[in-house]
Amino acid sequence: TTLVYSSIPPKLHLAWYKFPLSLTILFICLALSMRIKGKVVLNWLADILRYNLRPKYYVFDKNDSIFRTIDLPVFENKPKKQTKKSLVKEEANTQAPAFSVLDLVVLESLLKNKNYSFSLKTNSKGGLNVAFEQIKK
């Protein structure tokens, strides 16, 4: 209403044609500021306009970032120079030896033998102690 009053000639003076124009703008603004289902009518109109102006067809493009094949460079693993300290550590990290079939057969016979008891105990540092004890009768 202020914009109509100040911009339409005669500027900053009352005229009979400014009243209906100001009332029309007032009712339009009141209608757009109402809420329907907790949402302002102006927001509803903006959503509808955005929906109607968007493209109607989706063109699939296989060059989207999801479907691109990315060629990554392959780096060669170069052996590191070994120092005395690293050699000592590597020697300490050797794997346990594999057991032969004969060792496994002896272990199975010990487990099935009723004269021996098999027990697993943990120590205070988290280690595991395995014990075969002869049962005293």
Side-chain angles (χ1 to χ4, degrees):
T1 304
T2 305
L3 188 64
V4 169
Y5 179 73
S6 63
S7 64
I8 297 179
K11 294 181 180 178
L12 300 175
H13 292 287
L14 290 177
W16 62 271
Y17 57 86
K18 289 186 181 181
F19 286 115
L21 191 57
S22 296
L23 287 175
T24 305
I25 292 173
L26 175 70
F27 287 123
I28 290 173
C29 290
L30 287 175
L32 290 176
S33 67
M34 288 180 11
R35 290 183 180 264
I36 298 175
K37 295 184 182 179
K39 195 170 182 182
V40 178
V41 172
L42 183 63
N43 292 343
W44 282 99
L45 291 177
D47 289 343
I48 291 170
L49 184 68
R50 193 177 310 125
Y51 176 78
N52 288 330
L53 292 178
R54 71 179 174 85
K56 302 296 184 249
Y57 297 102
Y58 175 74
V59 178
F60 176 75
D61 183 13
K62 76 175 191 174
N63 290 324
D64 285 345
S65 62
I66 298 172
F67 300 108
R68 288 186 186 154
T69 55
I70 300 173
D71 297 326
L72 297 175
V74 178
F75 297 105
E76 296 179 13
N77 292 333
K78 295 181 181 178
K80 296 179 182 178
K81 293 182 180 179
Q82 294 183 347
T83 60
K84 292 180 182 178
K85 290 182 180 178
S86 64
L87 289 174
V88 172
K89 288 182 182 177
E90 286 181 13
E91 290 174 4
N93 292 334
T94 58
Q95 293 183 356
F99 294 105
S100 67
V101 176
L102 181 62
D103 293 335
L104 295 174
V105 170
V106 170
L107 178 64
E108 184 180 7
S109 66
L110 279 173
L111 289 173
K112 289 183 179 179
N113 193 346
K114 295 184 180 183
N115 294 331
Y116 292 97
S117 71
F118 172 72
S119 64
L120 298 171
K121 298 177 184 174
T122 57
N123 61 12
S124 62
K125 294 184 179 180
L128 185 65
N129 295 327
V130 179
F132 286 101
E133 296 176 0
Q134 189 172 10
I135 299 174
K136 297 178 183 176
K137 294 184 181 181

